[in-house]
Amino acid sequence: MQESSKKEAKRIGFAMLGGLIIGLLIHQFGMGSYSEYVKPLGTIFIRLLKMVIVPLVFSSIYMSMLNLGTPEALGSMGRKAVAYYFCTTAIAVFFGLIFVNLIQPGVGAELGGAGLSGLSAEMANKVQGQQGLYQTVLGVLIDAIPSNPAAALANATVLQIIVFAIFMGIVALYNTEKSKAVSNVMASLEEMSLALTHAIMKFAPIGIFVLMIDVMAKSGFSAIVSLSKYIATVVIGLTCHAAFLLFVACTRAKKSPIFILKGLSAPLFTAFSTSSSAATLPITMTSVEENLGVNKATVKFVLPLGATINMDGTALYESVAAIFIAQAYGIDLTLAQQVIIFMTASLAAIGAAAIPGAGLITMSIVLGAVGLPLEGIGLILAVDRLLDMFRTTVNVFGDAVGTIVVDSLMKDDDR
Ligand code: ASP
């Protein structure tokens, strides 16, 4: 890890801690609304990160295709990545189910907060309008094909951009001469996007500091206390899964846990404070490539795909939340119903967007699949933003570890 990256990671860590303490103090003195004055700086930081997503993802995937050299290599990498996503997501849900059944956080919980009235009108519509699992997963697959690439780029629809870039990359592979001009532009666009990401990261300590102040200053501590068992269940589950991922990363990369965690500290802190794997993506890409030494082509392909469809933290969270709601309502779930929750939570996370609060929307799929009341969402709403920070961090960690695993499997193939 370069000296400058180490300093950057330290600054971000201090900023997060500082923001957390100051935010708590502001909340304690009843001045939560004052955080509004500094919040714009956090919003600017998130917008800057989002600004770089489209050029970075498009050029990276295109260049990754050229570096891989054949569509077969991409196919092989894609299969390994998807296998990794499925296995680790299932393991995450398994952790969630174990702890929620052991701790039973919902037993005896007050039903006073049930209902969708705490949601914004837009969010309530989304929760109620969420389609079933089959429709959602099929929808993700169909939607991945952009009928209008310009719209995909304009709307920053990452999965569609990935698919378009793959097709363009394949065409370029078979038409080297004709594609030369575009390939040169893409190579240069990629370099520029990476340079821009580095420049934006200089602003990260301020952005993260402010975002932490805002979240902490506004958090409802009464809800945290009354839902402490539920919060503990989610956090313990996420921690166990993160420890498992770390073990996998260390074994495959043959590196120490400190090396992996230090190398990923910038994206992990950013994920925690922004609650968005999409906004964190540019930082994840630069950190994994520069600090962990993973092959460039793997990073460029596996990370954007992972950020869109691989969400271990969200899947774990959805399974815990669904069973918590069942426990709170005194509904006894059969083993078969728990298996359905296991499957739907694993798959529903694929449909969740990589933005704050998205997991709450796809959770209605899990609830609907076993006939649990949608209004139960109201019970956990007050601490969703807080838990989003933890689950997004695990989502990003899972994506990063995915690049290490896929890269090592590709190297095994070459041997
Ligand atoms: N905020 C999460 C993410 O961006 C998605 C979720 O709400 O679970 O990864």
Side-chain angles (χ1 to χ4, degrees), residues 27-49:
H27 183 273
Q28 207 56 29
F29 290 115
M31 301 191 308
S33 56
Y34 282 97
S35 68
E36 283 302 321
Y37 293 110
V38 286
K39 196 182 169 192
L41 283 174
T43 312
I44 289 175
F45 172 56
I46 295 183
R47 290 185 73 104
L48 284 170
L49 285 173

Side-chain angles (χ1 to χ4, degrees), residues 294-334:
V294 176
N295 183 300
K296 276 186 187 180
T298 316
V299 175
K300 288 175 202 165
F301 176 65
V302 177
L303 268 185
L305 189 64
T308 0
I309 61 172
N310 180 44
M311 297 202 183
D312 294 2
T314 302
L316 185 152
Y317 168 79
E318 292 189 356
S319 65
V320 172
I323 297 198
F324 170 82
I325 291 170
Q327 290 170 349
Y329 277 89
I331 300 169
D332 252 338
L333 293 173
T334 60

Side-chain angles (χ1 to χ4, degrees), residues 274-278 307 311 313-315 317-318 352-360 384 388-389 391-393 395-396:
T274 59
S275 289
S276 167
S277 341
M311 297 202 183
T314 302
Y317 168 79
E318 292 189 356
I355 54 170
L360 204 64
D384 185 69
D388 201 357
M389 299 162 79
R391 63 180 192 252
T392 307
T393 309
N395 287 346
V396 168

